[in-house]
Amino acid sequence: MAATGCVRLLGNWSRAWSWSRARAAVSSQAFTARHQSSQNNTIQPRKQAVTSLSKPPWPETKLPDPVQEAKHHLEVVQNVKELITAGAYGRLFAVVHFASRQWKVTNEDLILIENHIEAGCGDRIRLEKVLLVGGDDFTLIGRPLLGRDLVRVEATVIEKTESWPRIHFRFKRRKRYRRKKINIQPQTVLRINTIEVAPALS
């Protein structure tokens, strides 16, 4: 009986010893793995997440070479000068600033201005504030305006009239409140006669 108890104790003790050895081996392996991972973290740099703050979402654009850009600019200016000198620019259009508005006009266009101007019917006027003028193959853009000696836009006053009456009526029931207002806006009609460009760029 005593021998059987000793055998059982020895068996339990050997199992506990093997379990403790296995547990120690696992813990040593885990410590080694943690130590290696810590060493790897110290050696390898941390990867940074790519976001819109670290890198813009649009592709990077390379700036052109200043020398090549200046050469290309001279070629474009020379081509535009040749087109203007030869008169091979087709039908011109222009953007003019008149009566507190901007108008895109071409030859024989009619524009309606919500105001009366000093010129009378049949008078020929010149629109001096020209923002840009263009043709089939080029566009000249002012900064902010083109020179008076470069572009000439002329128009004729066709008609001076008034708009259709607009009735503005306000009413409150059971208050004996009624207000009626008729708005009539003066109008001027212009016809664009010519859009001319100087024969050579300055």
Side-chain angles (χ1 to χ4, degrees):
M1 205 60 189
T4 306
C6 291
V7 170
R8 286 180 181 174
L9 288 175
L10 287 174
N12 294 336
W13 183 78
S14 63
R15 285 197 212 98
W17 176 254
S18 62
W19 173 254
S20 62
R21 289 186 61 185
R23 189 173 180 181
V26 169
S27 61
S28 64
Q29 289 178 0
F31 174 76
T32 307
R34 285 198 301 270
H35 182 65
Q36 290 179 355
S37 64
S38 63
Q39 286 184 349
N40 293 336
N41 289 337
T42 56
I43 294 174
Q44 295 180 357
R46 185 177 180 182
K47 293 183 179 180
Q48 186 178 5
V50 179
T51 61
S52 60
L53 298 177
S54 62
K55 184 178 180 181
W58 55 84
E60 296 182 1
T61 56
K62 295 182 179 179
L63 297 176
D65 188 12
V67 178
Q68 295 181 358
E69 189 176 5
K71 184 178 179 181
H72 179 67
H73 179 263
L74 292 176
E75 292 178 357
V76 170
V77 171
Q78 187 64 28
N79 293 338
V80 173
K81 284 183 178 180
E82 292 176 358
L83 290 174
I84 293 176
T85 305
Y89 40 73
R91 187 174 184 180
L92 293 176
F93 69 92
V95 175
V96 296
H97 186 276
F98 189 74
S100 303
R101 288 184 59 185
Q102 293 184 9
W103 310 83
K104 181 184 178 183
V105 296
T106 184
N107 291 338
E108 303 301 326
D109 275 359
L110 293 176
I111 58 177
L112 180 64
I113 299 171
E114 297 288 339
N115 201 352
H116 278 171
I117 60 177
E118 296 179 359
C121 292
D123 292 348
R124 196 179 181 98
I125 61 175
R126 179 179 178 182
L127 308 180
E128 296 183 349
K129 294 183 178 181
V130 183
L131 280 74
L132 66 86
V133 64
D136 294 337
D137 300 322
F138 69 91
T139 301
L140 303 178
I141 302 176
R143 295 186 295 182
L145 301 176
L146 293 172
R148 297 184 65 223
D149 55 346
L150 181 61
V151 184
R152 185 180 184 88
V153 180
E154 293 185 352
T156 303
V157 180
I158 300 297
E159 183 182 4
K160 283 190 171 182
T161 181
E162 293 178 346
S163 65
W164 188 263
R166 298 177 182 176
I167 301 175
H168 183 68
F169 183 76
R170 291 182 293 175
F171 167 76
K172 294 180 182 179
R173 62 180 183 176
R174 298 192 298 272
K175 300 296 183 182
R176 294 184 181 180
Y177 179 87
R178 292 187 180 185
R179 296 293 184 271
K180 183 178 181 180
K181 186 177 181 182
I182 300 176
N183 296 327
I184 299 177
Q185 182 71 25
Q187 295 177 342
T188 304
V189 181
L190 300 180
R191 181 186 295 276
I192 305 300
N193 295 327
T194 58
I195 300 176
E196 300 176 353
V197 183
L201 295 178
S202 58

